[in-house]
Amino acid sequence: MNRAPEFPPAAPASIDDSLRQPFSQRAVFIDDDDELLRANAQTLKLHGIAVDAHASARSALPALTRDFDGVVVSDIRMPDMDGLQLFQRLRDIDPDIPVILITGHGDIATAVQCMRDGAYDFLAKPYAADRLITAIMHAAEKRHLVLENRRLREAAFAVEADEVPFIGATPAMQRIKQTLRHIADADVDVLVEGETGTGKEVVATALHRLSRRRHRALVAINCGALPESVIESELFGHEPGAFTGAQKKRIGRIEHASGGTLFLDEIESMPLAVQVKLLRVLESRQITPLGSNEVRNLDLRVVAATKEDLGSPAIRAKFREDLFYRLNVVTIRIPPLRERREDIPLLFAHYLGHASRRFQRDIPEMPASIKQHVMTHDWPGNVRELAHFAERVVLGVLNTPAPPTSMAQDAAASLPDRMERFEAQLIREALQAHQGDIKATLESLGIPRKTFYDKLQRHGIDRQQYTQQ
């Protein structure tokens, strides 16, 4: 006769804990013993675990698809289809579905073999409720990470059919895509504003490729990288003898872009004297090379990019107001990553896939600490910084310990943020002191087991890093 598991009194999870719970915990529980089935289902529900109870394995199978986001707990000895047969069926459906087997003493050897074949765990009857709950919570965490990594890989290798090479589904990015499509074939000059690394050159490239000019040159010039002594010659060209050292005729970059698109990056760095000449070119669509009296017509589309607010009075000392108004026919502002955090997972997946192909390496599993960093970091370097971070993840050269927060940074944070950091630090110190031992850590912290695991998830703490190897 099967003995019911020993169930200690359990209180429902607090509202605060349920709101903070990072992912839903779900279990399909299968047992042909009605008493055990009801008792287990009740206990799991009291601990915040959603339960689908089934008296037979066959009735549970339709819900156990590749997208199933929970844990399967099944008795081994059942009529019709037993737990071993169910385990083999699940291996065919998705070998990553965590399966916890319930065994009698005579089935322990079989359960151990199943674990070697990929089962997550087994529980020998009679088992304590805490043992069951802990096993399910750990298995649910593993399943959550598997599905997250799977979605990450699918997103990383997906080929985006959109002709606008912008990754992002936030309203701001959708508006940018729509604007690019509307103005691509209109011969208007465009000013692109955005912080370093937001993708201003991507906008210029998209405008060029979507326009009728795509079969001609896209000429990109970084105005901040050209020495002032050569910038006029680079932009406007020169005739032989125009200045000392000018021995041959040179076609300037502006003229070379005729028929195509001229991209002027960091235009706020352009010297004032050159700004005057550029303004004349933009207004007349004509150019006169240095040392020449010949005026040449241009078929030109100009895209200028800046990380400054050129309309601000504070910048008037270094950038001409009339040139700003001439460029400001259409302005596209690219928001920084911190203003469109919803796009970060998709961008990260894209750059993981790019790095994987570039370095010919598989995308590694994403621990909670990396995902926590990706979603909470402010990314001052924006998309460029995120792309480089993805490369380090693929190469496996990340520094695991997070840099300590400075006192100045901590003082500037809000009280809830500072409390969160303090709480995370206390948990890490307790785990370190007890070498990852759960029981000792819980006793030192004085918190329930479920609350402890919820906090590990919320703070992105991997307990395994503190256990003795």
Side-chain angles (χ1 to χ4, degrees):
M1 177 70 178
N2 290 334
R3 287 177 56 192
E6 303 161 10
F7 298 133
S14 69
I15 295 175
D16 181 68
D17 282 341
S18 65
L19 288 175
R20 291 178 180 272
Q21 193 166 310
F23 61 93
S24 61
Q25 292 163 334
R26 178 184 173 195
V28 168
F29 203 102
I30 308 167
D31 199 317
D32 63 328
D33 186 313
D34 291 339
E35 181 183 349
L36 284 174
L37 189 62
R38 285 195 300 270
N40 279 292
Q42 181 182 14
T43 299
L44 296 182
K45 288 175 183 177
L46 287 172
H47 284 79
I49 300 172
V51 185
D52 294 331
H54 293 268
S56 72
R58 200 169 297 280
S59 67
L61 266 177
L64 301 177
T65 66
R66 181 174 167 79
D67 297 324
F68 173 65
D69 60 352
V71 182
V72 176
V73 184
S74 175
D75 192 14
I76 287 184
R77 292 185 178 272
M78 294 184 296
D80 186 22
M81 176 185 288
D82 64 26
L84 301 181
Q85 292 171 318
L86 173 66
F87 172 64
Q88 293 303 325
R89 288 286 295 273
L90 293 179
R91 292 278 295 168
D92 294 336
I93 294 170
D94 182 356
D96 291 322
I97 294 177
V99 178
I100 300 171
L101 296 170
I102 300 174
T103 72
H105 290 292
D107 296 320
I108 290 179
T110 302
V112 170
Q113 182 58 49
C114 286
M115 287 189 66
R116 293 194 183 104
D117 294 338
Y120 182 81
D121 202 351
F122 73 91
L123 303 176
K125 299 175 183 176
Y127 51 85
D130 277 353
R131 175 76 173 86
L132 172 65
I133 292 161
T134 300
I136 290 176
M137 292 181 72
H138 287 177
E141 177 184 356
K142 178 183 178 182
R143 182 59 175 171
H144 175 71
L145 289 175
V146 164
L147 292 179
E148 282 289 302
N149 287 319
R150 187 176 293 169
R151 284 191 286 267
L152 203 59
R153 288 189 178 92
E154 289 170 354
F157 291 105
V159 178
E160 189 168 337
D162 196 340
E163 73 276 12
V164 181
F166 256 114
I167 299 172
T170 52
M173 300 310 293
Q174 292 302 314
R175 284 193 295 270
I176 290 175
K177 288 185 179 184
Q178 187 177 23
T179 300
L180 293 179
R181 292 188 184 98
H182 275 103
I183 66 172
D185 259 335
D187 280 334
V188 293
D189 296 332
V190 178
L191 181 64
V192 184
E193 296 178 348
E195 295 178 6
T196 298
T198 50
K200 298 184 287 294
E201 188 167 356
V202 176
V203 169
T205 302
L207 281 171
H208 180 71
R209 289 179 178 173
L210 291 172
S211 74
R212 59 179 175 79
R213 299 173 177 273
R214 58 184 171 274
H215 301 298
R216 303 296 295 273
L218 168 64
V219 179
I221 302 172
N222 188 325
C223 301
L226 289 175
E228 192 168 344
S229 58
V230 301
I231 189 170
E232 285 194 54
S233 173
E234 283 289 323
L235 290 176
F236 304 102
H238 63 256
E239 296 294 319
F243 51 86
T244 304
Q247 299 178 355
K248 297 188 297 184
K249 177 179 178 179
R250 175 179 176 81
I251 301 295
R253 307 291 291 278
I254 295 177
E255 186 175 355
H256 180 60
S258 186
T261 303
L262 177 68
F263 175 52
L264 298 172
D265 197 9
E266 296 189 24
I267 195 170
E268 72 276 4
S269 304
M270 183 177 285
L272 283 168
V274 181
Q275 291 179 32
V276 175
K277 294 187 176 182
L278 178 63
L279 176 62
R280 188 177 302 118
V281 169
L282 296 181
E283 289 178 337
S284 66
R285 277 341 196 229
Q286 294 178 328
I287 194 169
T288 303
L290 300 179
S292 172
N293 294 322
E294 181 184 357
V295 178
R296 300 172 186 169
N297 293 324
L298 300 172
D299 173 18
L300 199 63
R301 206 263 185 86
V302 177
V303 180
T306 177
K307 58 180 179 291
E308 306 276 0
D309 179 7
L310 300 183
S312 169
I315 206 171
R316 288 290 170 261
K318 66 175 185 178
F319 199 84
R320 293 179 61 94
E321 186 175 9
D322 49 3
L323 179 57
F324 165 67
Y325 288 122
R326 184 63 188 79
L327 289 169
N328 193 29
V329 180
V330 176
T331 298
I332 296 176
R333 178 186 176 272
I334 308 177
L337 279 186
R338 64 181 176 275
E339 293 181 10
R340 55 182 187 110
R341 291 189 180 275
E342 297 90 339
D343 288 335
I344 291 177
L346 189 57
L347 280 164
F348 185 50
H350 169 78
Y351 287 114
L352 281 175
H354 185 270
S356 173
R357 292 187 291 272
R358 176 184 174 189
F359 301 123
Q360 297 183 345
R361 294 194 181 186
D362 292 335
I363 297 175
E365 296 293 314
M366 293 294 123
S369 56
I370 289 181
K371 293 193 292 183
Q372 177 85 357
H373 176 75
V374 168
M375 293 309 300
T376 58
H377 185 52
D378 276 344
W379 301 108
N382 292 292
V383 177
R384 186 178 296 126
E385 182 186 359
L386 181 66
H388 291 166
F389 179 77
E391 290 178 351
R392 293 197 296 275
V393 169
V394 170
L395 290 172
V397 294
L398 284 179
N399 295 323
T400 303
T405 305
S406 69
M407 291 182 65
Q409 287 176 317
D410 198 55
S414 66
L415 179 59
D417 287 342
R418 293 165 69 181
M419 293 296 290
E420 287 281 297
R421 292 174 187 167
F422 183 61
E423 179 182 80
Q425 183 62 29
L426 288 178
I427 293 173
R428 290 189 177 98
E429 289 174 357
L431 284 167
Q432 183 72 37
H434 299 290
Q435 299 177 335
D437 182 81
I438 292 297
K439 184 177 180 181
T441 302
L442 289 175
E443 289 176 355
S444 68
L445 293 173
I447 59 176
R449 185 180 293 268
K450 180 182 184 304
T451 301
F452 173 71
Y453 282 114
D454 287 346
K455 291 182 185 297
L456 290 186
Q457 287 291 322
R458 187 164 77 246
H459 297 304
I461 298 173
D462 183 3
R463 183 182 68 85
Q464 297 302 323
Q465 293 180 0
Y466 300 90
T467 57
Q468 285 185 323
Q469 301 298 323

